[in-house]
Amino acid sequence: MDKIMEIVFSNLAVCCYEAAVLGFLFVYFIRLKKEKKRVVEMNTLQKEKAREEKLDQILRNRLYQGNSDKAFQNNIPYEISFHEEVENNRGTNENIAVQIIEKGKLSTRKYVIFISDMITIGRSGDNALVLNDLKIAKEQCRIFCHEQCLYIQTMEDTHPVHVRRKRNVMQLGKDAVKLLDNDTIELGETTLNIHFI
């Protein structure tokens, strides 16, 4: 019995007990840290979703009051139902009608815009197309008409903008790039699919 007690309370045994307790505490704190990180990520996603819904509401209320003629006159994108058909004859000699499908981290939206001059795209509410993406600039790029063609140009080069055409990808520089039907614009965590209508 004395030998058993001596083994149980020996220095080696005490070290093993301490190591086991420390190992348990280490695993416990790692799990706590992961759980806390998961909760923070969920809260961030919920806040982003609420912010995006608010931006959607602002975009609809401030820029488009349910009147496509008003949007047609002022280069304002107006949101349409995702499965809604778009008329093919809305462009004129002075305007190019474009359908833009915005795919962000949390949602996908579809707009129609008639570009007669220029629109800007970015995070700021002053843009024609406001994107809820923290990885792009307040005024990221502009799309404009020139001689019945549509062009895109980046307005700042801190945040890269890419144009994907089939398998080819090009990063925008200071020079404007002509947009073709089915091009994809990649900026931050958002992609914009361009379709001429």
Side-chain angles (χ1 to χ4, degrees), residues 96 98 115 143-146 148-152 177-180 194 196:
I96 297 178
V98 180
I115 302 174
I143 296 177
F144 60 92
C145 274
H146 178 66
Q148 290 304 298
C149 293
L150 204 61
Y151 292 85
I152 183 168
V177 172
K178 184 177 179 180
L179 286 172
L180 301 180
I194 304 296
F196 294 98

CSV table of all heavy atoms in Angstrom, one decimal, residues 96 98 115 143-146 148-152 177-180 194 196:
chain,number,residue,atom,x,y,z
A,96,ILE,N,-27.8,52.9,-74.4
A,96,ILE,CA,-27.6,51.4,-74.5
A,96,ILE,C,-28.3,50.8,-73.3
A,96,ILE,O,-28.0,51.2,-72.2
A,96,ILE,CB,-26.1,51.1,-74.5
A,96,ILE,CG1,-25.4,51.7,-75.7
A,96,ILE,CG2,-25.9,49.6,-74.4
A,96,ILE,CD1,-23.9,51.5,-75.8
A,98,VAL,N,-28.8,48.0,-70.7
A,98,VAL,CA,-28.0,47.0,-70.1
A,98,VAL,C,-28.7,46.3,-68.9
A,98,VAL,O,-29.3,47.0,-68.1
A,98,VAL,CB,-26.6,47.5,-69.7
A,98,VAL,CG1,-25.7,46.5,-69.1
A,98,VAL,CG2,-25.9,48.2,-70.8
A,115,ILE,N,-27.9,53.4,-70.4
A,115,ILE,CA,-26.7,54.3,-70.2
A,115,ILE,C,-26.7,55.2,-71.5
A,115,ILE,O,-26.4,54.8,-72.6
A,115,ILE,CB,-25.5,53.4,-70.1
A,115,ILE,CG1,-25.6,52.5,-68.9
A,115,ILE,CG2,-24.2,54.4,-70.0
A,115,ILE,CD1,-24.5,51.5,-68.8
A,143,ILE,N,-18.9,53.3,-66.0
A,143,ILE,CA,-19.2,52.7,-67.3
A,143,ILE,C,-19.8,53.8,-68.1
A,143,ILE,O,-20.7,54.6,-67.6
A,143,ILE,CB,-20.2,51.6,-67.1
A,143,ILE,CG1,-19.6,50.4,-66.3
A,143,ILE,CG2,-20.7,51.1,-68.4
A,143,ILE,CD1,-20.5,49.3,-66.0
A,144,PHE,N,-19.4,54.0,-69.4
A,144,PHE,CA,-19.8,55.1,-70.2
A,144,PHE,C,-20.0,54.7,-71.6
A,144,PHE,O,-19.4,53.7,-72.1
A,144,PHE,CB,-18.9,56.3,-70.0
A,144,PHE,CG,-17.5,56.0,-70.5
A,144,PHE,CD1,-17.1,56.3,-71.8
A,144,PHE,CD2,-16.5,55.5,-69.6
A,144,PHE,CE1,-15.8,56.0,-72.2
A,144,PHE,CE2,-15.2,55.3,-70.0
A,144,PHE,CZ,-14.9,55.5,-71.4
A,145,CYS,N,-20.8,55.5,-72.3
A,145,CYS,CA,-21.0,55.2,-73.8
A,145,CYS,C,-20.1,56.1,-74.6
A,145,CYS,O,-19.8,57.3,-74.2
A,145,CYS,CB,-22.4,55.7,-74.1
A,145,CYS,SG,-23.6,54.4,-73.8
A,146,HIS,N,-19.6,55.5,-75.7
A,146,HIS,CA,-18.9,56.3,-76.7
A,146,HIS,C,-19.1,55.7,-78.0
A,146,HIS,O,-18.7,54.5,-78.3
A,146,HIS,CB,-17.4,56.3,-76.3
A,146,HIS,CG,-16.5,57.1,-77.3
A,146,HIS,ND1,-16.6,58.4,-77.5
A,146,HIS,CD2,-15.6,56.6,-78.2
A,146,HIS,CE1,-15.8,58.8,-78.4
A,146,HIS,NE2,-15.1,57.7,-78.8
A,148,GLN,N,-21.7,54.6,-79.6
A,148,GLN,CA,-22.6,53.4,-79.5
A,148,GLN,C,-21.9,52.1,-78.9
A,148,GLN,O,-22.4,51.0,-79.2
A,148,GLN,CB,-23.2,53.1,-80.9
A,148,GLN,CG,-24.2,54.1,-81.3
A,148,GLN,CD,-25.4,54.3,-80.3
A,148,GLN,OE1,-26.1,53.3,-80.1
A,148,GLN,NE2,-25.5,55.5,-79.8
A,149,CYS,N,-20.8,52.3,-78.2
A,149,CYS,CA,-20.2,51.2,-77.5
A,149,CYS,C,-20.1,51.5,-76.0
A,149,CYS,O,-20.1,52.7,-75.6
A,149,CYS,CB,-18.8,51.0,-78.1
A,149,CYS,SG,-18.8,50.4,-79.8
A,150,LEU,N,-20.0,50.5,-75.3
A,150,LEU,CA,-19.9,50.7,-73.8
A,150,LEU,C,-18.5,50.4,-73.3
A,150,LEU,O,-17.9,49.4,-73.8
A,150,LEU,CB,-20.9,49.7,-73.2
A,150,LEU,CG,-21.5,50.0,-71.8
A,150,LEU,CD1,-22.2,51.3,-71.8
A,150,LEU,CD2,-22.3,48.9,-71.3
A,151,TYR,N,-18.0,51.2,-72.5
A,151,TYR,CA,-16.7,51.1,-71.9
A,151,TYR,C,-16.7,51.2,-70.4
A,151,TYR,O,-17.6,51.7,-69.8
A,151,TYR,CB,-15.8,52.3,-72.4
A,151,TYR,CG,-15.5,52.2,-73.9
A,151,TYR,CD1,-16.4,52.8,-74.8
A,151,TYR,CD2,-14.4,51.6,-74.4
A,151,TYR,CE1,-16.2,52.7,-76.2
A,151,TYR,CE2,-14.1,51.5,-75.8
A,151,TYR,CZ,-15.0,52.1,-76.7
A,151,TYR,OH,-14.8,52.0,-78.0
A,152,ILE,N,-15.7,50.5,-69.8
A,152,ILE,CA,-15.5,50.6,-68.4
A,152,ILE,C,-14.1,51.1,-68.1
A,152,ILE,O,-13.1,50.8,-68.8
A,152,ILE,CB,-15.7,49.2,-67.7
A,152,ILE,CG1,-15.6,49.3,-66.2
A,152,ILE,CG2,-14.7,48.2,-68.2
A,152,ILE,CD1,-16.0,48.1,-65.4
A,177,VAL,N,-11.8,50.1,-71.2
A,177,VAL,CA,-11.9,48.8,-71.9
A,177,VAL,C,-13.3,48.7,-72.4
A,177,VAL,O,-14.3,48.9,-71.7
A,177,VAL,CB,-11.5,47.7,-70.9
A,177,VAL,CG1,-11.8,46.3,-71.6
A,177,VAL,CG2,-10.0,47.7,-70.5
A,178,LYS,N,-13.4,48.3,-73.6
A,178,LYS,CA,-14.8,48.1,-74.2
A,178,LYS,C,-15.4,46.9,-73.6
A,178,LYS,O,-14.8,45.8,-73.5
A,178,LYS,CB,-14.6,47.9,-75.7
A,178,LYS,CG,-15.9,47.8,-76.5
A,178,LYS,CD,-15.6,47.7,-78.0
A,178,LYS,CE,-16.9,47.6,-78.8
A,178,LYS,NZ,-16.6,47.5,-80.2
A,179,LEU,N,-16.7,47.0,-73.3
A,179,LEU,CA,-17.5,45.9,-72.7
A,179,LEU,C,-18.3,45.2,-73.8
A,179,LEU,O,-18.8,45.9,-74.7
A,179,LEU,CB,-18.4,46.4,-71.6
A,179,LEU,CG,-17.8,46.8,-70.3
A,179,LEU,CD1,-18.8,47.4,-69.4
A,179,LEU,CD2,-17.2,45.6,-69.6
A,180,LEU,N,-18.3,43.9,-73.8
A,180,LEU,CA,-19.1,43.1,-74.7
A,180,LEU,C,-20.2,42.4,-74.0
A,180,LEU,O,-20.1,42.2,-72.7
A,180,LEU,CB,-18.2,42.1,-75.5
A,180,LEU,CG,-17.1,42.8,-76.3
A,180,LEU,CD1,-16.3,41.7,-77.0
A,180,LEU,CD2,-17.6,43.8,-77.3
A,194,ILE,N,-22.7,41.5,-67.3
A,194,ILE,CA,-23.2,42.5,-68.3
A,194,ILE,C,-24.0,41.8,-69.4
A,194,ILE,O,-23.4,40.9,-70.1
A,194,ILE,CB,-22.1,43.4,-68.8
A,194,ILE,CG1,-21.3,44.0,-67.7
A,194,ILE,CG2,-22.7,44.4,-69.8
A,194,ILE,CD1,-22.1,45.0,-66.8
A,196,PHE,N,-26.4,42.9,-72.8
A,196,PHE,CA,-27.1,44.0,-73.6
A,196,PHE,C,-28.5,43.5,-73.9
A,196,PHE,O,-28.7,42.3,-74.3
A,196,PHE,CB,-26.3,44.3,-74.8
A,196,PHE,CG,-25.0,44.9,-74.6
A,196,PHE,CD1,-23.8,44.1,-74.6
A,196,PHE,CD2,-24.9,46.2,-74.3
A,196,PHE,CE1,-22.6,44.7,-74.3
A,196,PHE,CE2,-23.6,46.8,-74.1
A,196,PHE,CZ,-22.5,46.0,-74.1
